[in-house]
Amino acid sequence: MVSTASCPFCAIIDGKDDSAQIVLRTDRIIVFPPLHPATRGHLLVVPIKHSSDIAEMSSADLHAVTDGVQRVRKAVASALGPSGVNIIQSNGELATQTVPHVHFHVVPRWADDKMQLDWPSAEESVPTTAQDLEDVRQILPPQSAQVSPEDRRQHLSFIQAVITRMAQASASAKTWLLPIVTATFGFAFAQKEAVVALLGVIAVLVFALLDANYLKQERAFRNLYDKVAVGGDLPEFAMNPSLAGSEGKQNYWPDAKDIWSWSIAPFYLPLALSGIGLCVWLSIPG
């Protein structure tokens, strides 16, 4: 397996190749022309996540890439008006894969282009035997083992219920905190008790941590929802959000992006700063 450090496509994805002409970039794919285009308008659709073979790709990444191929094919056809388009994807050196990072070629075809695809003639063709077909059939999952649309909708409804509970819990945390802050800060101001104001600040910090964790879990389940929605490689009715991410286990401590999100920091930070200011003011002698 080739490391991402030596992969020319990963270098383009990481912004280390200034010569690359990026046509499109999303969170999952990037589109650019190859170093030596075969025809006018020849483009590559490449997954952001490194995979050497299409068999290594997740269903979500494969869905994003094939959707990108369709979008690029439509755009090329509309903008350039070719007579035809080849969609080419190769795996392995013998199959003419020169860069060990999965990519799809979208090749517009013109009557006078130099592109050649040499298929064997009828006399040179090699038939696939009935045993070959049976061997492949035994490995492919039967239709009954695949998740039905109704099962997927039910799975999504379960995940959506958890997302809704996380959002409701977040709203409840803010609702419960406000009377606590009002009581502690108000009592501290009236009675000149800095310790009581400090208790209010601690309450703000505890509720902020709790609320940030609700947000983290909501985001995790939203990622799980997205993966199930596109047919990701997950056990049936899985409810473990870590299966949709890269972490080996679920981390229940909020990250910096959770704490500084628009629903956490703008609400809790002013309350905490007000309490700290009140503590300092009440601690000044006289």
Side-chain angles (χ1 to χ4, degrees), residues 149-204:
E150 181 57 36
D151 285 343
R152 182 170 296 168
R153 282 193 291 270
Q154 189 65 41
H155 193 180
L156 291 173
S157 69
F158 291 161
I159 301 172
Q160 183 59 53
V162 177
I163 294 173
T164 301
R165 286 202 299 271
M166 291 298 104
Q168 291 173 342
S170 175
S172 296
K174 294 179 175 68
T175 302
W176 278 98
L177 177 63
L178 289 176
I180 294 175
V181 168
T182 302
T184 53
F185 289 180
F187 184 86
F189 180 79
Q191 301 298 322
K192 303 296 189 283
E193 292 286 349
V195 175
V196 177
L198 180 60
L199 291 176
V201 172
I202 294 174
V204 171

Side-chain angles (χ1 to χ4, degrees), residues 59-60 152 226-234:
S59 295
R152 182 170 296 168
D226 290 341
K227 187 158 188 177
V228 172
V230 299
D233 299 323
L234 294 171

Side-chain angles (χ1 to χ4, degrees), residues 22-72:
I22 308 302
V23 177
L24 173 69
R25 180 172 185 142
T26 71
D27 60 335
R28 288 189 181 272
I29 68 167
I30 188 169
V31 179
F32 52 87
L35 185 61
H36 302 292
T39 67
R40 182 166 64 94
H42 180 182
L43 294 172
L44 301 179
V45 181
V46 182
I48 296 294
K49 184 177 180 181
H50 182 91
S51 298
S52 299
D53 191 288
I54 194 172
E56 301 172 2
M57 296 179 65
S58 68
S59 295
D61 284 333
L62 184 57
H63 176 85
V65 172
T66 53
D67 179 69
V69 168
Q70 184 184 52
R71 291 172 60 191
V72 171

Side-chain angles (χ1 to χ4, degrees), residues 85-205:
V85 176
N86 280 124
I87 308 296
I88 304 172
Q89 199 281 318
S90 305
N91 297 278
E93 292 183 12
L94 190 60
T96 71
Q97 182 184 15
T98 56
V99 178
H101 185 134
V102 172
H103 54 282
F104 285 74
H105 294 262
V106 179
V107 188
R109 300 306 305 273
W110 317 89
D112 57 349
D113 67 45
K114 305 302 181 182
M115 179 76 177
Q116 293 184 356
L117 292 175
D118 293 327
W119 291 89
S121 64
E123 293 76 15
E124 298 171 327
S125 66
V126 179
T128 301
T129 67
Q131 185 59 51
D132 292 333
L133 298 177
E134 182 59 27
D135 290 343
V136 173
R137 188 180 296 114
Q138 290 299 320
I139 296 175
L140 289 172
Q143 185 66 30
S144 59
Q146 299 177 4
V147 178
S148 68
E150 181 57 36
D151 285 343
R152 182 170 296 168
R153 282 193 291 270
Q154 189 65 41
H155 193 180
L156 291 173
S157 69
F158 291 161
I159 301 172
Q160 183 59 53
V162 177
I163 294 173
T164 301
R165 286 202 299 271
M166 291 298 104
Q168 291 173 342
S170 175
S172 296
K174 294 179 175 68
T175 302
W176 278 98
L177 177 63
L178 289 176
I180 294 175
V181 168
T182 302
T184 53
F185 289 180
F187 184 86
F189 180 79
Q191 301 298 322
K192 303 296 189 283
E193 292 286 349
V195 175
V196 177
L198 180 60
L199 291 176
V201 172
I202 294 174
V204 171
L205 297 178

